[in-house]
Amino acid sequence: FNLKNIRLIKALGILYLIIFVAKFASNLTDYYIYRSTIELQNYNIIKPDLGYNFLLIAILLFIIAIVMSRVMIIKEEQDLTI
């Protein structure tokens, strides 16, 4: 465990979070555009998949980064102890 790996995991988590927000906004915008332009009787336009898997991966990466940073702190304290 080193600080570089923790920073990379946090950056990857931020990237997945940005992807989630972009996909969410794009799909939601498309849904409202389709809903306002296409009106068919007895049919409903289904809301698209909003990409919650990207949000889940981002949360898991942040949790892994937090755990790794705590482990690194504990390891440093243990190394200083005789």
Side-chain angles (χ1 to χ4, degrees):
F1 301 107
N2 60 19
L3 193 58
K4 182 181 177 185
N5 290 339
I6 294 171
R7 286 184 184 156
L8 288 174
I9 291 173
K10 284 182 183 178
L12 195 58
I14 291 171
L15 181 65
Y16 271 97
L17 194 60
I18 291 170
I19 291 171
F20 166 73
V21 170
K23 184 172 180 162
F24 183 84
S26 172
N27 287 343
L28 205 59
T29 303
D30 289 345
Y31 170 73
Y32 285 115
I33 288 172
Y34 297 151
R35 191 172 138 197
S36 67
T37 57
I38 301 171
E39 294 182 18
L40 299 174
Q41 294 178 350
N42 300 326
Y43 289 97
N44 291 328
I45 296 177
I46 299 173
K47 289 184 181 178
D49 176 29
L50 298 177
Y52 289 116
N53 52 349
F54 288 107
L55 181 62
L56 179 66
I57 291 171
I59 291 170
L60 288 174
L61 285 171
F62 286 129
I63 290 171
I64 290 170
I66 290 169
V67 168
M68 286 180 67
S69 65
R70 299 280 167 99
V71 167
M72 192 175 81
I73 291 170
I74 291 171
K75 184 177 180 264
E76 287 176 0
E77 289 176 0
Q78 185 179 8
D79 289 342
L80 294 175
T81 309
I82 296 176

